[in-house]
Amino acid sequence: NAGVTQTPKFQVLKTGQSMTLQCAQDMNHEYMSWYRQDPGMGLRLIHYSVGAGITDQGEVPNGYNVSRSTTEDFPLRLLSAAPSQTSVYFCASTLGAPNYEQYFGPGTRLTVT
Amino acid sequence: QQQVKQSPQSLIVQKGGISIINCAYENTAFDYFPWYQQFPGKGPALLIAIRPDVSEKKEGRFTISFNKSAKQFSLHIMDSQPGDSATYFCAASMNTGFQKLVFGTGTRLLVSP
C-alpha cells in the first residue's frame, strides 16, 4: 500500500503558466481533497470530491480546477499561476463515516515567480 | 475568518516535561476535533481525535481535554521526548457527508534533550 502519492515534489512556475499537480491513492477511499499550507495560516481546503465524477469547492477555490474521473486519482490544475499561489499543496483521502481520519500525501512545494 | 484559534505559535519544552497546546473554536456545530502531527517535509498525520460527548481522551502519552461550554480543547503531551518535536495542528469539522476540516494555524514544538 503506497497510501497517498503526489507528484511532483517540487515545482517552479512563471506567472501565467499552467500546470497539474497529481494525486493518487490506493486505499479505495471515496473522499479526496486538496489543501494548501501557508506559514501562519494552517491548512486550507481548496477543493474536495465525495466520489468519482463529484467535486465541490472548499474555502479557497479561486484559480484552481479539479476533476475526479476515477476513485484513485484527483488532479489539481492551476489555470494561470500567480505568485499568491506559492504554497505547499497537500492531497488527502478518507474513507468517510465512521472513520474520519484523513490520510495526507507528502506534499508538493510550488513556487510561482 | 479564523474559525479555530490555536496557541501558542511555538513552544519549547524540556525532555520529560508536559507540552500543552490550546485551541478555541467558534462554530457550535463542530462535532469532531482531531489533532494532526506534522514532521518537516512530510504531510500531516492524525495523532488523536475527540467528539464532544466526552471531556477527555487519552492515547499513550497524548491526551485531549475538551470543554464544550467554553468551546475549547487542548492537547497535552506527557513526558515529552525529542522525537515529539514537530508542528501540531488542531482542527474541527461538522458531521456532514464530507468532513471539511478547519485547521488551526499550528504550533511548532521543540523538545530539548
Side-chain angles (χ1 to χ4, degrees), chain A residues 9 31-33 35 37 40-45 48-50 57 59 90 94 98 100-106, chain B residues 1-2 9 32 36 38 41-46 51 87 89 95-106:
Chain A
K9 194 163 180 62
Y31 302 133
M32 296 186 73
S33 53
Y35 293 85
Q37 182 176 21
M41 301 193 74
L43 290 93
R44 293 179 293 169
L45 182 65
Y48 65 96
S49 169
V50 299
Q57 297 181 350
E59 181 185 353
F90 289 100
T94 180
Y100 294 113
E101 177 175 0
Q102 296 214 18
Y103 294 82
F104 284 84
Chain B
Q1 181 185 1
Q2 187 65 42
Q9 190 173 7
Y32 174 67
Y36 279 80
Q38 184 181 30
K42 305 291 185 183
L46 180 66
R51 293 200 175 274
T87 300
F89 293 95
N95 187 20
T96 56
F98 173 75
Q99 299 259 319
K100 296 181 189 179
L101 286 175
V102 178
F103 283 87
T105 51

Side-chain angles (χ1 to χ4, degrees), chain A residues 4 7 20 23 39 49 53 59 64 78 83 86-87 90 105-106:
Chain A
V4 179
T7 56
T20 299
C23 173
S49 169
E59 181 185 353
Y64 307 95
L78 279 69
T86 293
S87 187
F90 289 100

